[in-house]
Amino acid sequence: MKKWHKIVLAVLVVLTIVYFCLPYYARQALIYWYPSIDDLSMFEKHTVQKADSSWTWAHAKDYNTYEMSPEDDAYLNDFRTVSFLVIQNDSIVYEEYRSGWNDTKTSNIFSSTKSIVGLLIGAAYDEGKIESLDDPVWKYIPEFKVGEKKNITIRHLLTMSGGLNWDEAYASLFSVTTHGYYGNDLYELVTGLDVIEEPGKQFSYRSGDTQILAFIVEKATGKTISDYAEEKLWRPMQAAQDAYWLLDKKDGDEKSFCCFHTTAREVARFARLMLHHGNWNGKQLISEEYINEAMSPASYLKDEWGKDSLDYYGFQIWIMNYHGQRNPYFRGMLGQYIIAIPERNAIIVRLGHKKDEKRIRETTRDVYRYMDIGTKILDGRK
Protein backbone atom coordinates (compact mmCIF):
# COMPACT_ATOMS: atom_id res chain seq x y z
CA MET A 1 0.00 0.00 0.00
CA LYS A 2 1.31 3.41 -0.95
CA LYS A 3 2.30 5.76 1.83
CA TRP A 4 -0.41 8.34 1.03
CA HIS A 5 -3.02 5.58 0.99
CA LYS A 6 -1.99 4.65 4.51
CA ILE A 7 -2.22 8.29 5.61
CA VAL A 8 -5.72 8.66 4.14
CA LEU A 9 -6.81 5.40 5.78
CA ALA A 10 -5.42 6.48 9.13
CA VAL A 11 -7.18 9.84 8.88
CA LEU A 12 -10.48 8.11 8.02
CA VAL A 13 -10.11 5.75 10.98
CA VAL A 14 -9.44 8.67 13.34
CA LEU A 15 -12.39 10.66 11.96
CA THR A 16 -14.66 7.64 12.32
CA ILE A 17 -13.61 7.15 15.93
CA VAL A 18 -14.11 10.85 16.67
CA TYR A 19 -17.53 10.82 14.98
CA PHE A 20 -18.83 7.94 17.07
CA CYS A 21 -17.47 9.52 20.24
CA LEU A 22 -19.59 12.61 19.63
CA PRO A 23 -22.97 12.96 21.36
CA TYR A 24 -26.02 11.97 19.32
CA TYR A 25 -27.10 15.55 18.51
CA ALA A 26 -23.64 16.49 17.21
CA ARG A 27 -23.54 13.43 14.94
CA GLN A 28 -26.95 14.38 13.55
CA ALA A 29 -25.81 17.96 13.02
CA LEU A 30 -22.81 16.75 11.02
CA ILE A 31 -25.09 14.63 8.84
CA TYR A 32 -27.71 17.30 8.14
CA TRP A 33 -25.55 20.39 8.69
CA TYR A 34 -27.62 23.59 8.79
CA PRO A 35 -31.38 23.72 9.55
CA SER A 36 -33.64 23.98 6.52
CA ILE A 37 -37.28 24.99 6.06
CA ASP A 38 -37.97 21.68 4.28
CA ASP A 39 -36.80 19.45 7.14
CA LEU A 40 -40.12 17.62 7.54
CA SER A 41 -38.69 14.26 6.46
CA MET A 42 -35.68 14.54 8.77
CA PHE A 43 -37.56 14.14 12.05
CA GLU A 44 -40.42 12.29 13.65
CA LYS A 45 -43.59 14.39 13.83
CA HIS A 46 -47.10 14.75 15.19
CA THR A 47 -49.91 15.77 12.88
CA VAL A 48 -52.02 18.76 13.92
CA GLN A 49 -55.24 17.90 12.15
CA LYS A 50 -57.24 20.35 10.07
CA ALA A 51 -60.80 21.33 10.86
CA ASP A 52 -63.81 19.31 9.69
CA SER A 53 -65.32 22.48 8.28
CA SER A 54 -62.67 24.84 6.95
CA TRP A 55 -62.67 28.58 6.40
CA THR A 56 -60.62 29.88 3.51
CA TRP A 57 -59.34 33.26 2.39
CA ALA A 58 -61.24 34.97 -0.40
CA HIS A 59 -59.48 36.44 -3.43
CA ALA A 60 -59.65 40.24 -3.60
CA LYS A 61 -61.11 41.74 -6.77
CA ASP A 62 -57.63 42.99 -7.63
CA TYR A 63 -55.95 39.69 -6.70
CA ASN A 64 -52.39 39.55 -8.06
CA THR A 65 -52.81 42.58 -10.32
CA TYR A 66 -49.92 44.38 -8.62
CA GLU A 67 -46.70 44.36 -10.63
CA MET A 68 -43.65 44.15 -8.39
CA SER A 69 -40.70 46.36 -9.27
CA PRO A 70 -37.51 44.68 -10.54
CA GLU A 71 -35.71 45.86 -7.38
CA ASP A 72 -38.27 44.30 -5.04
CA ASP A 73 -38.41 41.14 -7.13
CA ALA A 74 -34.62 40.84 -6.95
CA TYR A 75 -34.72 41.35 -3.19
CA LEU A 76 -37.15 38.45 -2.77
CA ASN A 77 -34.86 36.31 -4.91
CA ASP A 78 -31.68 37.35 -3.13
CA PHE A 79 -32.97 35.97 0.16
CA ARG A 80 -34.55 32.90 -1.43
CA THR A 81 -38.16 33.72 -0.67
CA VAL A 82 -40.55 30.81 -1.23
CA SER A 83 -43.86 32.46 -0.22
CA PHE A 84 -44.98 36.08 -0.12
CA LEU A 85 -48.56 36.82 0.83
CA VAL A 86 -50.47 40.07 1.41
CA ILE A 87 -54.02 39.94 2.81
CA GLN A 88 -56.45 42.74 3.57
CA ASN A 89 -59.99 42.50 4.95
CA ASP A 90 -59.83 38.69 4.82
CA SER A 91 -59.03 38.69 1.09
CA ILE A 92 -55.75 37.76 -0.55
CA VAL A 93 -54.44 40.78 -2.44
CA TYR A 94 -51.09 39.37 -3.53
CA GLU A 95 -49.75 35.81 -3.47
CA GLU A 96 -46.55 34.48 -4.91
CA TYR A 97 -44.57 31.26 -4.60
CA ARG A 98 -41.04 30.54 -5.75
CA SER A 99 -38.48 27.72 -5.87
CA GLY A 100 -41.09 25.01 -6.36
CA TRP A 101 -43.28 26.10 -3.45
CA ASN A 102 -47.06 26.43 -3.69
CA ASP A 103 -50.05 27.12 -1.46
CA THR A 104 -50.09 23.56 -0.08
CA LYS A 105 -46.37 22.91 0.52
CA THR A 106 -45.41 23.33 4.17
CA SER A 107 -42.40 25.10 5.63
CA ASN A 108 -40.80 24.97 9.04
CA ILE A 109 -41.63 28.36 10.54
CA PHE A 110 -38.82 27.98 13.11
CA SER A 111 -39.04 30.46 15.98
CA SER A 112 -42.42 31.75 14.82
CA THR A 113 -43.49 28.57 16.62
CA LYS A 114 -42.66 30.30 19.90
CA SER A 115 -45.58 32.67 19.44
CA ILE A 116 -47.95 29.72 19.07
CA VAL A 117 -46.70 28.36 22.40
CA GLY A 118 -47.31 31.77 23.96
CA LEU A 119 -50.93 31.68 22.74
CA LEU A 120 -51.38 28.19 24.17
CA ILE A 121 -50.21 29.40 27.58
CA GLY A 122 -53.03 31.94 27.25
CA ALA A 123 -55.53 29.20 26.41
CA ALA A 124 -54.49 27.15 29.44
CA TYR A 125 -54.66 30.25 31.62
CA ASP A 126 -58.09 31.20 30.30
CA GLU A 127 -59.56 27.81 31.16
CA GLY A 128 -57.99 27.76 34.62
CA LYS A 129 -55.46 25.01 33.96
CA ILE A 130 -52.83 27.61 34.84
CA GLU A 131 -53.94 29.54 37.90
CA SER A 132 -51.66 32.55 37.51
CA LEU A 133 -49.03 33.79 35.08
CA ASP A 134 -46.96 34.52 38.17
CA ASP A 135 -47.00 30.88 39.23
CA PRO A 136 -43.49 29.52 39.80
CA VAL A 137 -42.37 27.08 37.13
CA TRP A 138 -41.73 24.40 39.78
CA LYS A 139 -45.48 24.16 40.40
CA TYR A 140 -45.67 22.35 37.04
CA ILE A 141 -42.10 21.11 36.56
CA PRO A 142 -40.69 19.87 39.90
CA GLU A 143 -37.09 19.89 38.62
CA PHE A 144 -37.23 23.68 38.99
CA LYS A 145 -37.78 23.56 42.74
CA VAL A 146 -34.05 23.90 43.38
CA GLY A 147 -31.70 26.81 43.93
CA GLU A 148 -32.40 30.01 42.07
CA LYS A 149 -34.54 28.17 39.52
CA LYS A 150 -37.39 28.13 42.05
CA ASN A 151 -37.75 31.91 41.54
CA ILE A 152 -38.57 31.66 37.83
CA THR A 153 -42.24 32.26 36.96
CA ILE A 154 -44.33 31.64 33.86
CA ARG A 155 -44.38 35.39 33.19
CA HIS A 156 -40.58 35.44 33.19
CA LEU A 157 -40.51 32.76 30.52
CA LEU A 158 -43.23 34.45 28.46
CA THR A 159 -41.18 37.65 28.31
CA MET A 160 -37.81 35.96 27.75
CA SER A 161 -36.50 37.08 31.11
CA GLY A 162 -35.99 33.67 32.73
CA GLY A 163 -32.26 34.20 33.16
CA LEU A 164 -31.30 30.64 32.19
CA ASN A 165 -28.07 29.61 30.49
CA TRP A 166 -29.35 28.83 27.00
CA ASP A 167 -26.89 29.84 24.26
CA GLU A 168 -28.60 31.08 21.05
CA ALA A 169 -25.72 30.04 18.78
CA TYR A 170 -27.16 28.53 15.59
CA ALA A 171 -23.92 27.80 13.76
CA SER A 172 -22.03 26.10 16.60
CA LEU A 173 -21.84 22.31 16.60
CA PHE A 174 -21.89 22.12 20.40
CA SER A 175 -24.35 24.87 21.31
CA VAL A 176 -27.44 24.06 23.35
CA THR A 177 -29.58 25.28 20.43
CA THR A 178 -27.95 22.73 18.14
CA HIS A 179 -28.52 20.14 20.86
CA GLY A 180 -32.18 21.09 21.09
CA TYR A 181 -32.79 20.98 17.33
CA TYR A 182 -30.90 17.76 16.52
CA GLY A 183 -31.06 16.00 19.89
CA ASN A 184 -33.45 13.43 21.36
CA ASP A 185 -33.64 14.53 25.02
CA LEU A 186 -35.42 17.89 25.16
CA TYR A 187 -36.94 17.46 28.61
CA GLU A 188 -33.63 16.55 30.21
CA LEU A 189 -31.91 19.36 28.34
CA VAL A 190 -34.15 22.21 29.53
CA THR A 191 -34.70 20.93 33.06
CA GLY A 192 -30.92 20.79 33.46
CA LEU A 193 -30.44 24.49 32.70
CA ASP A 194 -29.08 26.82 35.40
CA VAL A 195 -29.84 30.43 36.30
CA ILE A 196 -27.12 32.88 35.28
CA GLU A 197 -29.08 36.16 35.56
CA GLU A 198 -31.74 37.36 37.98
CA PRO A 199 -35.12 36.46 36.48
CA GLY A 200 -37.62 39.15 35.60
CA LYS A 201 -35.18 42.01 35.08
CA GLN A 202 -33.95 42.02 31.48
CA PHE A 203 -35.07 40.63 28.14
CA SER A 204 -32.66 38.06 26.76
CA TYR A 205 -33.91 35.93 23.89
CA ARG A 206 -33.52 32.26 24.78
CA SER A 207 -35.24 29.35 23.07
CA GLY A 208 -35.12 27.31 26.26
CA ASP A 209 -37.69 29.62 27.87
CA THR A 210 -40.24 28.64 25.22
CA GLN A 211 -39.50 24.94 25.46
CA ILE A 212 -40.15 25.08 29.19
CA LEU A 213 -43.43 26.90 28.54
CA ALA A 214 -44.50 24.03 26.28
CA PHE A 215 -43.79 21.51 29.03
CA ILE A 216 -45.83 23.68 31.44
CA VAL A 217 -48.78 23.53 29.03
CA GLU A 218 -48.45 19.76 28.88
CA LYS A 219 -48.20 19.35 32.65
CA ALA A 220 -51.14 21.72 33.23
CA THR A 221 -53.48 20.23 30.61
CA GLY A 222 -52.41 16.58 30.48
CA LYS A 223 -52.13 16.86 26.67
CA THR A 224 -49.23 17.13 24.27
CA ILE A 225 -48.59 20.62 22.98
CA SER A 226 -49.58 19.56 19.44
CA ASP A 227 -52.87 18.00 20.62
CA TYR A 228 -53.62 21.12 22.65
CA ALA A 229 -52.80 23.34 19.67
CA GLU A 230 -55.15 21.29 17.53
CA GLU A 231 -57.94 21.58 20.12
CA LYS A 232 -57.55 25.24 21.07
CA LEU A 233 -56.24 26.89 17.91
CA TRP A 234 -55.86 24.91 14.70
CA ARG A 235 -59.31 23.36 14.42
CA PRO A 236 -61.14 26.35 15.97
CA MET A 237 -59.35 28.58 13.42
CA GLN A 238 -60.91 26.28 10.79
CA ALA A 239 -57.59 25.31 9.25
CA ALA A 240 -57.96 23.87 5.77
CA GLN A 241 -54.78 21.79 5.87
CA ASP A 242 -52.99 19.60 8.39
CA ALA A 243 -49.92 21.05 10.09
CA TYR A 244 -47.01 19.13 11.59
CA TRP A 245 -44.98 19.52 14.76
CA LEU A 246 -41.50 17.99 14.75
CA LEU A 247 -40.44 15.74 17.64
CA ASP A 248 -37.11 15.05 19.29
CA LYS A 249 -37.61 11.29 18.76
CA LYS A 250 -40.31 8.74 17.99
CA ASP A 251 -43.21 9.28 20.42
CA GLY A 252 -41.08 12.02 21.95
CA ASP A 253 -41.51 15.70 22.77
CA GLU A 254 -42.39 18.48 20.36
CA LYS A 255 -39.57 20.84 19.53
CA SER A 256 -41.68 23.76 20.67
CA PHE A 257 -39.01 26.43 20.42
CA CYS A 258 -38.70 25.97 16.67
CA CYS A 259 -40.52 23.42 14.64
CA PHE A 260 -44.13 23.91 13.51
CA HIS A 261 -44.69 23.12 9.81
CA THR A 262 -47.42 24.79 7.77
CA THR A 263 -48.15 26.89 4.69
CA ALA A 264 -48.23 30.65 4.13
CA ARG A 265 -52.02 30.71 3.86
CA GLU A 266 -52.52 28.61 6.97
CA VAL A 267 -50.03 30.45 9.18
CA ALA A 268 -51.69 33.75 8.22
CA ARG A 269 -54.60 32.64 10.42
CA PHE A 270 -52.51 33.50 13.49
CA ALA A 271 -52.13 37.07 12.27
CA ARG A 272 -55.89 37.24 11.74
CA LEU A 273 -56.37 36.02 15.31
CA MET A 274 -54.14 38.86 16.51
CA LEU A 275 -56.03 41.40 14.40
CA HIS A 276 -59.28 40.28 16.06
CA HIS A 277 -57.82 40.22 19.58
CA GLY A 278 -58.18 36.47 20.01
CA ASN A 279 -61.61 36.16 18.39
CA TRP A 280 -62.27 33.87 15.46
CA ASN A 281 -65.57 34.45 13.67
CA GLY A 282 -67.41 35.18 16.90
CA LYS A 283 -65.66 32.66 19.13
CA GLN A 284 -63.09 33.94 21.63
CA LEU A 285 -60.21 31.45 21.35
CA ILE A 286 -57.81 33.46 23.53
CA SER A 287 -59.13 36.04 25.99
CA GLU A 288 -58.83 39.61 24.80
CA GLU A 289 -57.08 40.57 28.03
CA TYR A 290 -54.36 37.98 27.57
CA ILE A 291 -53.73 38.50 23.85
CA ASN A 292 -53.63 42.26 24.21
CA GLU A 293 -50.94 41.93 26.86
CA ALA A 294 -49.13 39.39 24.69
CA MET A 295 -49.07 41.92 21.83
CA SER A 296 -47.85 44.77 24.05
CA PRO A 297 -44.22 45.39 25.02
CA ALA A 298 -43.20 44.18 28.49
CA SER A 299 -41.89 47.67 29.21
CA TYR A 300 -41.18 46.88 32.87
CA LEU A 301 -38.12 44.95 31.64
CA LYS A 302 -34.83 46.30 30.36
CA ASP A 303 -34.13 45.63 26.68
CA GLU A 304 -31.39 43.27 25.53
CA TRP A 305 -28.76 46.02 25.90
CA GLY A 306 -29.82 46.72 29.49
CA LYS A 307 -30.26 50.46 28.91
CA ASP A 308 -33.86 51.23 27.97
CA SER A 309 -37.29 49.83 28.65
CA LEU A 310 -38.23 46.91 26.42
CA ASP A 311 -40.38 48.17 23.55
CA TYR A 312 -40.37 45.30 21.04
CA TYR A 313 -41.45 42.08 22.80
CA GLY A 314 -44.51 40.92 24.70
CA PHE A 315 -45.53 37.34 25.54
CA GLN A 316 -43.54 35.38 22.91
CA ILE A 317 -44.70 37.90 20.30
CA TRP A 318 -42.51 40.53 18.67
CA ILE A 319 -43.72 44.11 18.19
CA MET A 320 -42.48 46.04 15.15
CA ASN A 321 -42.36 49.81 15.33
CA TYR A 322 -42.87 50.80 11.69
CA HIS A 323 -43.54 54.41 10.66
CA GLY A 324 -45.68 55.08 13.71
CA GLN A 325 -47.46 51.73 13.53
CA ARG A 326 -47.09 49.07 16.21
CA ASN A 327 -47.42 45.73 14.46
CA PRO A 328 -47.33 42.41 16.36
CA TYR A 329 -45.57 39.66 14.47
CA PHE A 330 -44.13 36.16 14.62
CA ARG A 331 -40.48 35.76 13.60
CA GLY A 332 -38.35 32.78 12.54
CA MET A 333 -34.61 32.35 12.13
CA LEU A 334 -34.52 32.17 8.33
CA GLY A 335 -36.84 35.10 7.75
CA GLN A 336 -40.22 33.55 8.56
CA TYR A 337 -42.46 36.54 9.26
CA ILE A 338 -46.20 36.59 10.05
CA ILE A 339 -47.14 40.23 10.49
CA ALA A 340 -50.44 41.73 11.62
CA ILE A 341 -51.08 45.36 10.62
CA PRO A 342 -54.01 46.54 12.76
CA GLU A 343 -54.21 50.03 11.23
CA ARG A 344 -54.97 48.52 7.82
CA ASN A 345 -56.64 45.25 8.84
CA ALA A 346 -53.90 43.61 6.84
CA ILE A 347 -51.46 40.71 7.04
CA ILE A 348 -48.06 40.05 5.46
CA VAL A 349 -46.50 36.58 5.40
CA ARG A 350 -43.00 35.92 4.13
CA LEU A 351 -41.40 32.47 4.21
CA GLY A 352 -38.00 31.61 2.80
CA HIS A 353 -34.58 30.02 3.09
CA LYS A 354 -32.53 33.03 4.13
CA LYS A 355 -32.64 36.33 6.00
CA ASP A 356 -30.56 39.48 5.82
CA GLU A 357 -28.01 39.31 8.64
CA LYS A 358 -27.57 43.10 8.82
CA ARG A 359 -29.50 44.46 11.76
CA ILE A 360 -31.56 47.50 12.60
CA ARG A 361 -31.59 47.56 16.39
CA GLU A 362 -33.43 44.45 17.65
CA THR A 363 -34.13 42.81 14.30
CA THR A 364 -32.64 42.11 10.90
CA ARG A 365 -33.41 44.75 8.33
CA ASP A 366 -35.19 42.42 5.90
CA VAL A 367 -38.43 42.48 7.90
CA TYR A 368 -38.69 46.22 7.24
CA ARG A 369 -38.06 45.67 3.54
CA TYR A 370 -40.88 43.11 3.38
CA MET A 371 -43.08 45.63 5.18
CA ASP A 372 -42.12 48.22 2.56
CA ILE A 373 -43.01 45.82 -0.27
CA GLY A 374 -46.29 44.81 1.35
CA THR A 375 -47.19 48.44 2.04
CA LYS A 376 -46.60 49.32 -1.62
CA ILE A 377 -48.94 46.52 -2.63
CA LEU A 378 -51.62 47.79 -0.25
CA ASP A 379 -51.11 51.41 -1.31
CA GLY A 380 -51.35 50.44 -4.98
CA ARG A 381 -54.73 48.77 -4.73
CA LYS A 382 -57.25 49.84 -7.34
Side-chain angles (χ1 to χ4, degrees):
M1 182 180 291
K2 294 181 179 180
K3 183 177 180 180
W4 70 269
H5 284 170
K6 292 181 180 179
I7 293 172
V8 170
L9 181 61
V11 169
L12 289 174
V13 169
V14 170
L15 289 176
T16 301
I17 293 171
V18 170
Y19 174 80
F20 283 103
C21 288
L22 292 172
Y24 172 81
Y25 75 86
R27 298 200 305 271
Q28 293 299 102
L30 286 174
I31 292 171
Y32 294 110
W33 207 240
Y34 198 69
S36 169
I37 62 173
D38 52 358
D39 59 356
L40 189 61
S41 63
M42 288 168 48
F43 302 102
E44 299 288 341
K45 59 185 178 292
H46 276 168
T47 300
V48 183
Q49 294 186 349
K50 64 184 179 181
D52 295 328
S53 177
S54 65
W55 176 94
T56 56
W57 304 101
H59 280 183
K61 289 182 180 180
D62 55 346
Y63 171 77
N64 270 8
T65 58
Y66 178 84
E67 294 186 15
M68 191 171 292
S69 71
E71 294 79 13
D72 290 341
D73 180 73
Y75 192 84
L76 294 183
N77 276 336
D78 286 346
F79 293 100
R80 301 180 62 198
T81 299
V82 299
S83 307
F84 193 77
L85 187 63
V86 180
I87 298 170
Q88 189 172 41
N89 301 325
D90 288 344
S91 297
I92 300 174
V93 177
Y94 187 88
E95 181 177 33
E96 184 181 0
Y97 300 96
R98 304 180 180 211
S99 302
W101 243 258
N102 56 45
D103 62 352
T104 63
K105 186 172 181 179
T106 68
S107 165
N108 191 335
I109 62 171
F110 289 108
S111 286
S112 291
T113 305
K114 292 178 169 70
S115 302
I116 300 174
V117 174
L119 294 176
L120 293 174
I121 286 285
Y125 175 61
D126 290 340
E127 67 170 339
K129 301 292 186 182
I130 291 172
E131 184 176 350
S132 170
L133 299 182
D134 296 307
D135 278 349
V137 172
W138 60 257
K139 183 175 178 180
Y140 305 90
I141 302 176
E143 289 89 343
F144 276 73
K145 201 174 184 178
V146 294
E148 295 182 33
K149 290 201 289 188
K150 67 178 180 295
N151 298 320
I152 302 174
T153 69
I154 294 173
R155 189 181 302 274
H156 296 153
L157 300 179
L158 283 169
T159 56
M160 291 290 184
S161 60
L164 292 163
N165 62 330
W166 181 286
D167 173 20
E168 285 294 315
Y170 298 108
S172 170
L173 179 62
F174 297 106
S175 79
V176 68
T177 303
T178 301
H179 188 162
Y181 180 70
Y182 286 111
N184 58 1
D185 56 352
L186 267 176
Y187 189 83
E188 291 79 6
L189 180 66
V190 297
T191 55
L193 296 172
D194 294 317
V195 173
I196 57 173
E197 298 169 0
E198 184 180 356
K201 298 296 181 183
Q202 182 173 336
F203 170 87
S204 184
Y205 186 86
R206 293 183 171 109
S207 292
D209 286 16
T210 310
Q211 190 63 50
I212 298 163
L213 287 172
F215 287 131
I216 289 171
V217 169
E218 294 187 346
K219 297 285 189 178
T221 65
K223 299 173 182 177
T224 66
I225 195 81
S226 52
D227 285 345
Y228 198 61
E230 178 181 295
E231 175 190 339
K232 293 296 181 179
L233 292 174
W234 205 240
R235 291 174 68 86
M237 290 195 304
Q238 300 174 277
Q241 186 171 328
D242 290 345
Y244 307 96
W245 211 319
L246 304 185
L247 308 177
D248 65 348
K249 57 182 173 292
K250 184 176 176 57
D251 299 322
D253 293 312
E254 287 87 346
K255 291 186 275 193
S256 302
F257 67 93
C258 69
C259 297
F260 192 85
H261 255 265
T262 187
T263 69
R265 284 189 179 188
E266 296 299 296
V267 81
R269 295 173 188 271
F270 290 109
R272 184 178 189 261
L273 191 67
M274 291 193 290
L275 287 175
H276 292 274
H277 304 276
N279 190 285
W280 189 271
N281 295 340
K283 184 177 180 181
Q284 199 70 35
L285 306 188
I286 307 294
S287 68
E288 189 169 353
E289 178 184 7
Y290 180 90
I291 201 166
N292 285 348
E293 187 171 1
M295 297 188 298
S296 301
S299 57
Y300 47 86
L301 297 174
K302 292 292 185 183
D303 64 20
E304 63 194 87
W305 302 281
K307 295 180 179 179
D308 300 311
S309 293
L310 181 64
D311 66 352
Y312 52 83
Y313 203 79
F315 288 171
Q316 302 286 298
I317 292 175
W318 295 89
I319 295 99
M320 183 195 314
N321 298 294
Y322 177 82
H323 297 316
Q325 300 174 12
R326 195 168 75 178
N327 303 323
Y329 73 110
F330 296 12
R331 171 171 133 188
M333 67 173 284
L334 298 179
Q336 291 70 45
Y337 302 119
I338 302 95
I339 307 165
I341 311 173
E343 290 189 12
R344 307 191 69 160
N345 195 31
I347 296 163
I348 296 173
V349 175
R350 186 274 179 184
L351 305 177
H353 290 283
K354 185 180 177 183
K355 70 178 179 183
D356 187 344
E357 295 298 338
K358 293 184 178 178
R359 301 183 69 84
I360 300 175
R361 200 165 173 259
E362 76 277 357
T363 189
T364 51
R365 65 181 179 179
D366 54 336
V367 68
Y368 293 106
R369 185 64 185 274
Y370 299 131
M371 276 294 299
D372 290 342
I373 296 171
T375 297
K376 284 189 232 178
I377 292 170
L378 292 171
D379 288 344
R381 298 197 64 187
K382 298 175 182 178

